[in-house]
Amino acid sequence: MQEVRTILLKKSVYEDNDREADALRQKMKEKGVRLVNVMSSPGSGKTTMLVALIGLLKERFRIGVMEADIDSDVDAVTVAKKTGCPSVQLHTDGMCHLDAGMTAQGLRALEDDLDLIFLENVGNLVCPAEYDTGAALDIVILSVPEGDDKPLKYPLVFQKCDLVIVSKIDALPYFGFDLDRCKENIRLRNPHAAVIPVSAKTGENMEALARWFIENK
Amino acid sequence: MQEVRTILLKKSVYEDNDREADALRQKMKEKGVRLVNVMSSPGSGKTTMLVALIGLLKERFRIGVMEADIDSDVDAVTVAKKTGCPSVQLHTDGMCHLDAGMTAQGLRALEDDLDLIFLENVGNLVCPAEYDTGAALDIVILSVPEGDDKPLKYPLVFQKCDLVIVSKIDALPYFGFDLDRCKENIRLRNPHAAVIPVSAKTGENMEALARWFIENK
Protein backbone atom coordinates (compact mmCIF):
# COMPACT_ATOMS: atom_id res chain seq x y z
CA MET A 1 0.00 0.00 0.00
CA GLN A 2 1.22 3.47 -0.92
CA GLU A 3 1.97 5.99 1.79
CA VAL A 4 -0.66 8.76 1.91
CA ARG A 5 0.41 12.36 2.47
CA THR A 6 -1.93 15.06 3.68
CA ILE A 7 -1.48 18.67 2.63
CA LEU A 8 -3.17 21.57 4.35
CA LEU A 9 -4.24 24.18 1.79
CA LYS A 10 -4.40 27.83 2.77
CA LYS A 11 -7.80 29.36 3.27
CA SER A 12 -8.61 32.64 1.56
CA VAL A 13 -10.46 35.67 2.82
CA TYR A 14 -13.78 35.36 4.67
CA GLU A 15 -16.56 37.85 4.83
CA ASP A 16 -18.02 38.15 8.27
CA ASN A 17 -21.72 38.73 8.37
CA ASP A 18 -22.31 37.68 11.96
CA ARG A 19 -23.39 41.11 13.19
CA GLU A 20 -26.02 41.48 10.47
CA ALA A 21 -27.26 37.94 11.22
CA ASP A 22 -27.58 38.66 14.95
CA ALA A 23 -29.56 41.84 14.24
CA LEU A 24 -31.89 39.95 11.90
CA ARG A 25 -32.39 37.17 14.47
CA GLN A 26 -33.23 39.73 17.16
CA LYS A 27 -35.69 41.52 14.88
CA MET A 28 -37.49 38.27 14.00
CA LYS A 29 -37.65 37.32 17.69
CA GLU A 30 -39.30 40.64 18.53
CA LYS A 31 -41.86 40.09 15.78
CA GLY A 32 -42.55 36.54 17.01
CA VAL A 33 -41.45 34.95 13.74
CA ARG A 34 -39.42 31.74 13.74
CA LEU A 35 -36.97 31.53 10.83
CA VAL A 36 -35.69 28.03 10.02
CA ASN A 37 -32.64 27.56 7.78
CA VAL A 38 -32.72 24.23 5.93
CA MET A 39 -29.40 22.96 4.55
CA SER A 40 -28.52 19.81 2.59
CA SER A 41 -26.78 18.35 -0.45
CA PRO A 42 -28.37 18.68 -3.86
CA GLY A 43 -30.97 15.97 -4.31
CA SER A 44 -31.57 15.16 -0.64
CA GLY A 45 -35.27 15.82 -1.08
CA LYS A 46 -35.49 19.18 0.75
CA THR A 47 -38.49 20.40 -1.23
CA THR A 48 -40.48 17.15 -0.96
CA MET A 49 -39.76 17.08 2.76
CA LEU A 50 -40.89 20.69 3.24
CA VAL A 51 -44.13 20.13 1.35
CA ALA A 52 -44.95 17.10 3.55
CA LEU A 53 -43.96 18.90 6.76
CA ILE A 54 -45.92 22.05 5.94
CA GLY A 55 -48.96 19.85 5.32
CA LEU A 56 -48.75 18.76 8.97
CA LEU A 57 -48.07 22.23 10.39
CA LYS A 58 -50.12 24.66 8.36
CA GLU A 59 -53.30 24.44 10.44
CA ARG A 60 -51.31 25.54 13.47
CA PHE A 61 -48.95 28.16 12.03
CA ARG A 62 -49.03 30.81 9.32
CA ILE A 63 -46.12 29.53 7.23
CA GLY A 64 -44.00 31.17 4.53
CA VAL A 65 -41.23 29.66 2.40
CA MET A 66 -38.10 31.11 0.77
CA GLU A 67 -36.46 28.87 -1.83
CA ALA A 68 -32.87 29.70 -2.70
CA ASP A 69 -31.57 28.38 -5.98
CA ILE A 70 -28.78 29.29 -8.30
CA ASP A 71 -30.81 29.51 -11.42
CA SER A 72 -34.27 27.94 -11.42
CA ASP A 73 -37.64 28.61 -9.86
CA VAL A 74 -39.11 25.13 -9.91
CA ASP A 75 -38.98 24.74 -6.12
CA ALA A 76 -40.91 27.87 -5.13
CA VAL A 77 -43.59 27.12 -7.71
CA THR A 78 -43.86 23.51 -6.44
CA VAL A 79 -44.13 24.61 -2.81
CA ALA A 80 -46.70 27.33 -3.53
CA LYS A 81 -48.80 24.97 -5.65
CA LYS A 82 -48.73 22.07 -3.19
CA THR A 83 -49.06 23.95 0.11
CA GLY A 84 -50.83 27.20 -0.75
CA CYS A 85 -48.28 29.03 1.43
CA PRO A 86 -46.65 32.29 0.34
CA SER A 87 -43.37 31.38 -1.35
CA VAL A 88 -40.49 33.47 -2.64
CA GLN A 89 -37.76 32.27 -4.98
CA LEU A 90 -34.30 33.67 -4.24
CA HIS A 91 -31.93 33.58 -7.19
CA THR A 92 -28.35 33.63 -5.92
CA ASP A 93 -26.96 34.26 -9.41
CA GLY A 94 -24.33 31.56 -9.10
CA MET A 95 -23.54 32.10 -5.41
CA CYS A 96 -23.16 28.95 -3.36
CA HIS A 97 -24.75 30.11 -0.12
CA LEU A 98 -27.04 32.69 1.48
CA ASP A 99 -25.83 35.29 3.94
CA ALA A 100 -27.87 37.44 6.33
CA GLY A 101 -28.21 40.28 3.83
CA MET A 102 -29.63 37.99 1.18
CA THR A 103 -31.99 36.45 3.72
CA ALA A 104 -33.21 39.92 4.74
CA GLN A 105 -33.91 40.75 1.06
CA GLY A 106 -36.05 37.62 0.83
CA LEU A 107 -37.92 38.36 4.06
CA ARG A 108 -38.89 41.82 2.81
CA ALA A 109 -40.63 40.16 -0.14
CA LEU A 110 -42.72 37.81 2.03
CA GLU A 111 -46.00 38.63 3.75
CA ASP A 112 -45.74 40.27 7.14
CA ASP A 113 -48.11 38.19 9.29
CA LEU A 114 -46.30 34.84 9.43
CA ASP A 115 -45.33 32.68 12.44
CA LEU A 116 -42.89 30.28 10.83
CA ILE A 117 -40.68 30.80 7.79
CA PHE A 118 -38.65 28.05 6.15
CA LEU A 119 -35.56 29.14 4.23
CA GLU A 120 -34.43 26.41 1.84
CA ASN A 121 -30.73 27.21 1.42
CA VAL A 122 -28.68 26.39 -1.73
CA GLY A 123 -28.07 22.63 -2.08
CA ASN A 124 -24.55 22.44 -0.70
CA LEU A 125 -23.12 20.93 2.51
CA VAL A 126 -20.11 23.25 2.65
CA CYS A 127 -20.64 26.97 2.14
CA PRO A 128 -24.11 27.49 3.66
CA ALA A 129 -22.66 26.31 7.00
CA GLU A 130 -20.10 29.12 6.95
CA TYR A 131 -22.58 31.98 6.67
CA ASP A 132 -25.05 32.74 9.45
CA THR A 133 -28.36 33.57 7.77
CA GLY A 134 -29.88 35.02 10.95
CA ALA A 135 -32.19 32.01 11.36
CA ALA A 136 -33.30 30.93 14.85
CA LEU A 137 -32.98 27.24 13.94
CA ASP A 138 -30.51 25.51 11.62
CA ILE A 139 -31.46 22.15 10.16
CA VAL A 140 -29.60 19.61 8.04
CA ILE A 141 -31.31 17.04 5.85
CA LEU A 142 -29.09 14.01 5.20
CA SER A 143 -30.60 11.47 2.81
CA VAL A 144 -29.88 7.75 3.09
CA PRO A 145 -28.29 7.39 -0.41
CA GLU A 146 -25.59 9.94 0.55
CA GLY A 147 -24.10 7.61 3.16
CA ASP A 148 -23.74 7.53 6.94
CA ASP A 149 -20.18 8.98 6.84
CA LYS A 150 -21.19 12.50 5.77
CA PRO A 151 -21.01 13.99 9.31
CA LEU A 152 -17.31 13.03 9.30
CA LYS A 153 -16.64 14.56 5.88
CA TYR A 154 -18.68 17.77 6.16
CA PRO A 155 -18.19 18.59 9.84
CA LEU A 156 -19.20 22.25 10.11
CA VAL A 157 -22.77 21.94 8.88
CA PHE A 158 -23.39 19.17 11.43
CA GLN A 159 -21.62 21.08 14.22
CA LYS A 160 -23.80 24.13 13.87
CA CYS A 161 -27.24 22.57 13.44
CA ASP A 162 -30.06 22.04 15.92
CA LEU A 163 -31.66 19.10 14.11
CA VAL A 164 -30.58 16.49 11.57
CA ILE A 165 -33.40 14.98 9.53
CA VAL A 166 -32.26 11.64 8.10
CA SER A 167 -34.47 11.45 5.02
CA LYS A 168 -35.45 8.75 2.50
CA ILE A 169 -35.37 6.01 5.17
CA ASP A 170 -37.67 4.01 2.90
CA ALA A 171 -34.44 3.44 0.90
CA LEU A 172 -32.59 1.94 3.91
CA PRO A 173 -32.93 -1.68 2.70
CA TYR A 174 -31.32 -0.68 -0.58
CA PHE A 175 -28.20 1.17 0.60
CA GLY A 176 -25.45 0.23 3.03
CA PHE A 177 -26.51 2.98 5.43
CA ASP A 178 -26.21 2.19 9.14
CA LEU A 179 -28.59 4.43 11.11
CA ASP A 180 -26.84 3.79 14.44
CA ARG A 181 -23.43 4.58 12.96
CA CYS A 182 -24.90 7.73 11.39
CA LYS A 183 -26.26 8.87 14.77
CA GLU A 184 -22.89 8.15 16.37
CA ASN A 185 -21.11 10.18 13.64
CA ILE A 186 -23.50 13.09 14.23
CA ARG A 187 -22.95 12.85 17.99
CA LEU A 188 -19.18 13.03 17.48
CA ARG A 189 -19.68 16.38 15.75
CA ASN A 190 -22.55 17.68 17.83
CA PRO A 191 -23.89 15.96 20.95
CA HIS A 192 -26.78 18.45 21.21
CA ALA A 193 -28.38 18.01 17.78
CA ALA A 194 -31.69 16.15 17.63
CA VAL A 195 -31.79 13.36 15.01
CA ILE A 196 -35.10 12.38 13.44
CA PRO A 197 -35.17 9.73 10.67
CA VAL A 198 -38.15 10.07 8.33
CA SER A 199 -39.58 9.17 4.94
CA ALA A 200 -41.58 11.92 3.26
CA LYS A 201 -42.54 9.32 0.63
CA THR A 202 -44.21 6.84 3.01
CA GLY A 203 -44.93 9.37 5.78
CA GLU A 204 -42.98 7.30 8.34
CA ASN A 205 -42.10 9.41 11.41
CA MET A 206 -43.32 12.66 9.82
CA GLU A 207 -45.65 13.24 12.80
CA ALA A 208 -42.65 13.08 15.16
CA LEU A 209 -40.88 15.62 12.98
CA ALA A 210 -43.89 17.94 13.05
CA ARG A 211 -43.98 17.62 16.86
CA TRP A 212 -40.34 18.73 17.05
CA PHE A 213 -41.25 21.94 15.24
CA ILE A 214 -44.25 22.55 17.51
CA GLU A 215 -42.05 22.04 20.60
CA ASN A 216 -39.30 24.27 19.23
CA LYS A 217 -41.53 27.09 17.95
CA MET B 1 -52.21 29.16 -5.63
CA GLN B 2 -49.97 31.92 -4.32
CA GLU B 3 -48.07 34.14 -6.73
CA VAL B 4 -44.33 33.41 -6.70
CA ARG B 5 -41.83 36.26 -6.85
CA THR B 6 -38.25 35.83 -7.92
CA ILE B 7 -35.50 38.02 -6.48
CA LEU B 8 -32.04 38.30 -8.01
CA LEU B 9 -29.42 38.54 -5.25
CA LYS B 10 -26.19 40.41 -5.93
CA LYS B 11 -23.05 38.38 -6.45
CA SER B 12 -19.93 39.32 -4.48
CA VAL B 13 -16.31 39.49 -5.56
CA TYR B 14 -14.71 36.69 -7.59
CA GLU B 15 -11.10 35.72 -7.61
CA ASP B 16 -9.86 34.97 -11.06
CA ASN B 17 -7.43 32.14 -11.31
CA ASP B 18 -7.84 31.44 -15.00
CA ARG B 19 -4.30 32.45 -15.97
CA GLU B 20 -2.73 30.16 -13.39
CA ALA B 21 -5.01 27.32 -14.52
CA ASP B 22 -4.03 27.78 -18.17
CA ALA B 23 -0.33 27.72 -17.28
CA LEU B 24 -0.78 24.53 -15.25
CA ARG B 25 -2.74 22.89 -18.11
CA GLN B 26 0.00 23.79 -20.58
CA LYS B 27 2.72 22.43 -18.29
CA MET B 28 0.89 19.12 -17.81
CA LYS B 29 0.38 18.84 -21.56
CA GLU B 30 4.10 19.28 -22.19
CA LYS B 31 4.87 16.57 -19.63
CA GLY B 32 2.31 14.22 -21.23
CA VAL B 33 0.19 14.00 -18.08
CA ARG B 34 -3.61 14.02 -18.25
CA LEU B 35 -5.23 15.69 -15.26
CA VAL B 36 -8.93 14.84 -14.72
CA ASN B 37 -11.07 16.96 -12.37
CA VAL B 38 -13.95 14.95 -10.88
CA MET B 39 -16.85 16.95 -9.46
CA SER B 40 -20.09 15.84 -7.76
CA SER B 41 -22.42 16.24 -4.80
CA PRO B 42 -21.48 14.73 -1.46
CA GLY B 43 -22.39 11.07 -1.43
CA SER B 44 -22.56 10.49 -5.18
CA GLY B 45 -20.04 7.66 -4.88
CA LYS B 46 -16.98 9.43 -6.39
CA THR B 47 -14.46 7.35 -4.46
CA THR B 48 -16.13 3.98 -5.13
CA MET B 49 -16.37 4.91 -8.81
CA LEU B 50 -12.70 5.92 -8.99
CA VAL B 51 -11.54 2.71 -7.35
CA ALA B 52 -13.54 0.63 -9.87
CA LEU B 53 -12.38 2.73 -12.83
CA ILE B 54 -8.72 2.66 -11.82
CA GLY B 55 -8.97 -1.15 -11.59
CA LEU B 56 -9.82 -1.17 -15.31
CA LEU B 57 -7.18 1.38 -16.34
CA LYS B 58 -4.13 0.74 -14.20
CA GLU B 59 -2.51 -1.87 -16.45
CA ARG B 60 -2.49 0.69 -19.24
CA PHE B 61 -1.61 3.94 -17.43
CA ARG B 62 0.52 5.00 -14.48
CA ILE B 63 -2.23 6.58 -12.37
CA GLY B 64 -2.14 8.96 -9.42
CA VAL B 65 -4.99 10.30 -7.28
CA MET B 66 -5.54 13.54 -5.36
CA GLU B 67 -8.45 13.48 -2.92
CA ALA B 68 -9.71 16.88 -1.78
CA ASP B 69 -11.70 16.96 1.42
CA ILE B 70 -12.54 19.57 3.96
CA ASP B 71 -11.44 17.65 6.98
CA SER B 72 -10.90 13.90 6.64
CA ASP B 73 -8.45 11.58 4.94
CA VAL B 74 -10.61 8.49 4.59
CA ASP B 75 -10.77 8.76 0.80
CA ALA B 76 -7.05 8.88 0.02
CA VAL B 77 -6.41 5.96 2.36
CA THR B 78 -9.23 3.95 0.74
CA VAL B 79 -7.99 4.66 -2.78
CA ALA B 80 -4.36 3.86 -1.94
CA LYS B 81 -5.32 0.63 -0.17
CA LYS B 82 -7.69 -0.60 -2.89
CA THR B 83 -5.76 0.43 -6.01
CA GLY B 84 -2.11 0.59 -4.93
CA CYS B 85 -1.81 3.94 -6.77
CA PRO B 86 0.01 6.93 -5.29
CA SER B 87 -2.62 9.04 -3.51
CA VAL B 88 -2.45 12.44 -1.88
CA GLN B 89 -5.05 13.89 0.47
CA LEU B 90 -5.67 17.63 0.05
CA HIS B 91 -7.17 19.29 3.11
CA THR B 92 -8.95 22.44 2.04
CA ASP B 93 -9.36 23.64 5.65
CA GLY B 94 -13.03 24.46 5.21
CA MET B 95 -12.80 25.77 1.63
CA CYS B 96 -15.56 24.62 -0.68
CA HIS B 97 -13.55 24.17 -3.88
CA LEU B 98 -10.07 23.79 -5.35
CA ASP B 99 -8.40 26.42 -7.48
CA ALA B 100 -5.37 26.06 -9.75
CA GLY B 101 -2.91 27.06 -7.00
CA MET B 102 -4.23 24.38 -4.66
CA THR B 103 -4.13 21.81 -7.46
CA ALA B 104 -0.50 22.72 -8.20
CA GLN B 105 0.37 22.22 -4.50
CA GLY B 106 -1.14 18.73 -4.69
CA LEU B 107 0.68 17.86 -7.93
CA ARG B 108 4.04 18.74 -6.40
CA ALA B 109 3.40 16.10 -3.72
CA LEU B 110 2.67 13.32 -6.24
CA GLU B 111 5.20 11.13 -8.03
CA ASP B 112 6.61 12.55 -11.23
CA ASP B 113 6.24 9.67 -13.70
CA LEU B 114 2.46 9.45 -14.06
CA ASP B 115 0.28 9.40 -17.21
CA LEU B 116 -3.14 10.03 -15.70
CA ILE B 117 -4.05 11.88 -12.51
CA PHE B 118 -7.54 11.98 -11.03
CA LEU B 119 -8.37 14.97 -8.86
CA GLU B 120 -11.41 14.27 -6.69
CA ASN B 121 -12.73 17.77 -5.98
CA VAL B 122 -14.69 18.76 -2.84
CA GLY B 123 -18.20 17.25 -2.83
CA ASN B 124 -20.18 20.27 -4.03
CA LEU B 125 -22.04 20.97 -7.29
CA VAL B 126 -21.69 24.75 -7.04
CA CYS B 127 -18.28 26.23 -6.20
CA PRO B 128 -15.91 23.73 -7.85
CA ALA B 129 -17.50 24.64 -11.20
CA GLU B 130 -16.50 28.28 -10.74
CA TYR B 131 -12.77 27.67 -10.33
CA ASP B 132 -10.67 26.26 -13.15
CA THR B 133 -8.28 23.74 -11.58
CA GLY B 134 -6.08 23.53 -14.67
CA ALA B 135 -7.37 20.03 -15.50
CA ALA B 136 -7.51 18.86 -19.13
CA LEU B 137 -10.83 17.10 -18.56
CA ASP B 138 -13.74 18.04 -16.29
CA ILE B 139 -16.14 15.32 -15.23
CA VAL B 140 -19.40 15.35 -13.26
CA ILE B 141 -20.76 12.33 -11.43
CA LEU B 142 -24.54 12.53 -10.96
CA SER B 143 -26.01 9.70 -8.91
CA VAL B 144 -29.52 8.37 -9.52
CA PRO B 145 -30.86 9.17 -6.00
CA GLU B 146 -30.08 12.89 -6.56
CA GLY B 147 -32.73 13.18 -9.29
CA ASP B 148 -32.78 13.81 -13.05
CA ASP B 149 -33.45 17.56 -12.62
CA LYS B 150 -30.00 18.46 -11.27
CA PRO B 151 -28.64 19.76 -14.63
CA LEU B 152 -31.43 22.37 -14.50
CA LYS B 153 -30.69 23.41 -10.92
CA TYR B 154 -26.86 23.40 -10.99
CA PRO B 155 -26.23 24.61 -14.55
CA LEU B 156 -22.60 25.72 -14.51
CA VAL B 157 -21.01 22.43 -13.52
CA PHE B 158 -22.89 20.68 -16.35
CA GLN B 159 -22.07 23.46 -18.83
CA LYS B 160 -18.33 23.20 -18.32
CA CYS B 161 -17.86 19.43 -18.21
CA ASP B 162 -16.67 17.00 -20.88
CA LEU B 163 -18.40 13.93 -19.45
CA VAL B 164 -21.31 13.22 -17.13
CA ILE B 165 -21.18 9.84 -15.41
CA VAL B 166 -24.69 8.90 -14.25
CA SER B 167 -23.84 6.62 -11.33
CA LYS B 168 -25.73 4.13 -9.14
CA ILE B 169 -27.92 3.01 -12.07
CA ASP B 170 -28.52 -0.21 -10.12
CA ALA B 171 -30.84 2.02 -8.02
CA LEU B 172 -32.93 3.09 -11.06
CA PRO B 173 -35.85 0.77 -10.21
CA TYR B 174 -36.06 2.34 -6.78
CA PHE B 175 -36.10 6.06 -7.60
CA GLY B 176 -38.25 8.13 -9.98
CA PHE B 177 -35.22 8.92 -12.14
CA ASP B 178 -35.84 9.13 -15.91
CA LEU B 179 -32.57 8.49 -17.75
CA ASP B 180 -33.85 9.96 -21.03
CA ARG B 181 -35.08 13.11 -19.30
CA CYS B 182 -31.75 13.39 -17.52
CA LYS B 183 -29.85 13.15 -20.84
CA GLU B 184 -32.17 15.77 -22.31
CA ASN B 185 -31.57 18.09 -19.30
CA ILE B 186 -27.81 17.67 -19.73
CA ARG B 187 -28.08 18.37 -23.48
CA LEU B 188 -29.98 21.59 -22.75
CA ARG B 189 -26.97 22.77 -20.72
CA ASN B 190 -24.23 21.23 -22.82
CA PRO B 191 -24.80 19.49 -26.15
CA HIS B 192 -21.14 18.39 -26.31
CA ALA B 193 -20.87 16.47 -23.04
CA ALA B 194 -20.68 12.70 -23.24
CA VAL B 195 -23.11 10.88 -20.93
CA ILE B 196 -22.26 7.42 -19.63
CA PRO B 197 -24.61 5.68 -17.16
CA VAL B 198 -22.85 3.12 -14.94
CA SER B 199 -23.03 1.12 -11.74
CA ALA B 200 -19.73 0.72 -9.91
CA LYS B 201 -21.54 -1.72 -7.60
CA THR B 202 -22.62 -4.21 -10.30
CA GLY B 203 -19.96 -3.22 -12.85
CA GLU B 204 -22.61 -2.40 -15.48
CA ASN B 205 -21.14 -0.24 -18.27
CA MET B 206 -17.83 0.28 -16.45
CA GLU B 207 -15.93 -1.09 -19.48
CA ALA B 208 -17.54 1.59 -21.68
CA LEU B 209 -16.47 4.23 -19.17
CA ALA B 210 -12.89 2.91 -19.17
CA ARG B 211 -12.90 3.04 -23.00
CA TRP B 212 -13.91 6.71 -22.87
CA PHE B 213 -10.81 7.47 -20.81
CA ILE B 214 -8.58 5.49 -23.18
CA GLU B 215 -10.01 7.36 -26.18
CA ASN B 216 -9.68 10.73 -24.45
CA LYS B 217 -6.17 10.23 -23.04
Side-chain angles (χ1 to χ4, degrees):
Chain A
M1 182 184 151
Q2 294 278 341
E3 187 204 1
V4 171
R5 291 177 57 188
T6 293
I7 298 156
L8 183 66
L9 303 174
K10 295 287 167 217
K11 196 185 287 189
S12 56
V13 184
Y14 256 117
E15 294 159 282
D16 190 350
N17 84 140
D18 287 356
R19 210 169 318 167
E20 199 171 349
D22 282 339
L24 185 60
R25 195 161 20 244
Q26 184 59 30
K27 188 177 152 198
M28 301 298 279
K29 193 176 174 184
E30 285 161 11
K31 291 175 74 175
V33 186
R34 201 83 167 148
L35 177 62
V36 180
N37 176 32
V38 184
M39 297 174 285
S40 84
S41 291
S44 70
K46 276 194 294 303
T47 311
T48 307
M49 164 72 59
L50 270 184
V51 166
L53 181 61
I54 289 170
L56 297 171
L57 292 173
K58 71 179 180 180
E59 297 304 319
R60 184 180 285 257
F61 304 118
R62 292 164 301 177
I63 298 174
V65 179
M66 300 192 288
E67 293 282 339
D69 241 321
I70 298 170
D71 191 27
S72 84
D73 58 3
V74 292
D75 288 341
V77 172
T78 302
V79 168
K81 201 189 289 187
K82 293 195 175 168
T83 67
C85 291
S87 301
V88 176
Q89 184 76 45
L90 308 180
H91 273 186
T92 63
D93 196 22
M95 280 282 273
C96 52
H97 65 274
L98 291 175
D99 60 22
M102 292 163 158
T103 304
Q105 287 177 58
L107 287 169
R108 283 195 288 274
L110 265 184
E111 292 172 19
D112 214 24
D113 56 349
L114 301 170
D115 305 309
L116 182 61
I117 298 175
F118 289 102
L119 169 60
E120 191 181 316
N121 215 312
V122 179
N124 181 336
L125 280 188
V126 187
C127 319
E130 297 177 348
Y131 291 84
D132 189 343
T133 58
L137 292 170
D138 289 300
I139 288 177
V140 179
I141 301 178
L142 171 63
S143 67
V144 161
E146 292 170 61
D148 51 39
D149 61 342
K150 291 302 160 289
L152 303 181
K153 299 181 75 175
Y154 299 89
L156 187 63
V157 75
F158 289 93
Q159 272 162 30
K160 71 166 274 186
C161 73
D162 302 291
L163 166 67
V164 179
I165 303 174
V166 179
S167 70
K168 303 190 189 177
I169 57 168
D170 53 288
L172 273 172
Y174 201 81
F175 291 90
F177 187 103
D178 183 326
L179 199 51
D180 289 331
R181 190 164 55 212
C182 179
K183 286 179 180 171
E184 187 49 38
N185 289 341
I186 294 166
R187 235 184 308 274
L188 279 172
R189 294 305 185 187
N190 182 348
H192 306 295
V195 181
I196 304 181
V198 304
S199 167
K201 193 173 172 183
T202 67
E204 188 177 350
N205 237 11
M206 287 299 295
E207 291 284 352
L209 181 62
R211 266 199 311 280
W212 188 89
F213 280 93
I214 293 166
E215 286 161 10
N216 287 279
K217 170 67 181 84
Chain B
M1 180 186 150
Q2 294 277 343
E3 188 204 1
V4 172
R5 293 176 57 187
T6 293
I7 299 157
L8 183 65
L9 304 174
K10 293 290 166 216
K11 196 185 287 189
S12 58
V13 183
Y14 256 117
E15 294 161 282
D16 190 351
N17 84 138
D18 287 356
R19 210 170 316 164
E20 199 172 349
D22 282 340
L24 185 59
R25 194 158 25 243
Q26 185 60 31
K27 188 178 150 196
M28 301 298 278
K29 194 175 174 185
E30 284 161 12
K31 291 176 73 175
V33 185
R34 202 82 166 150
L35 176 61
V36 181
N37 175 32
V38 184
M39 296 174 286
S40 84
S41 291
S44 70
K46 277 195 294 304
T47 311
T48 307
M49 166 72 60
L50 271 185
V51 167
L53 181 60
I54 289 170
L56 297 171
L57 293 173
K58 71 179 180 181
E59 297 304 318
R60 185 181 284 258
F61 303 118
R62 291 164 300 177
I63 298 175
V65 179
M66 299 192 288
E67 292 283 340
D69 242 320
I70 298 170
D71 191 28
S72 83
D73 58 3
V74 292
D75 289 342
V77 172
T78 302
V79 168
K81 201 188 291 187
K82 294 194 174 168
T83 67
C85 291
S87 300
V88 176
Q89 184 77 44
L90 308 180
H91 273 185
T92 64
D93 197 23
M95 280 283 274
C96 52
H97 65 274
L98 291 175
D99 60 23
M102 292 162 156
T103 305
Q105 288 177 57
L107 287 169
R108 283 194 289 275
L110 266 184
E111 292 172 21
D112 214 26
D113 57 348
L114 301 169
D115 305 309
L116 183 61
I117 298 175
F118 289 102
L119 169 60
E120 192 182 314
N121 215 312
V122 179
N124 181 335
L125 279 187
V126 188
C127 321
E130 297 178 349
Y131 292 83
D132 189 343
T133 58
L137 292 171
D138 289 300
I139 289 176
V140 179
I141 301 179
L142 171 63
S143 67
V144 160
E146 293 171 61
D148 51 38
D149 61 341
K150 292 302 159 291
L152 303 180
K153 299 182 75 176
Y154 300 88
L156 187 62
V157 74
F158 289 93
Q159 272 161 32
K160 69 165 277 187
C161 72
D162 302 290
L163 166 67
V164 180
I165 303 174
V166 179
S167 70
K168 303 190 188 177
I169 57 168
D170 53 286
L172 273 171
Y174 201 82
F175 292 90
F177 187 103
D178 184 324
L179 200 50
D180 289 332
R181 190 163 56 212
C182 178
K183 286 179 180 171
E184 187 50 36
N185 288 342
I186 294 166
R187 236 185 307 274
L188 280 172
R189 296 304 184 186
N190 183 348
H192 306 297
V195 182
I196 305 180
V198 305
S199 167
K201 192 172 171 183
T202 67
E204 189 179 348
N205 238 10
M206 287 299 295
E207 291 284 351
L209 181 61
R211 266 200 310 280
W212 188 89
F213 279 93
I214 293 165
E215 286 161 9
N216 287 279
K217 169 64 181 88

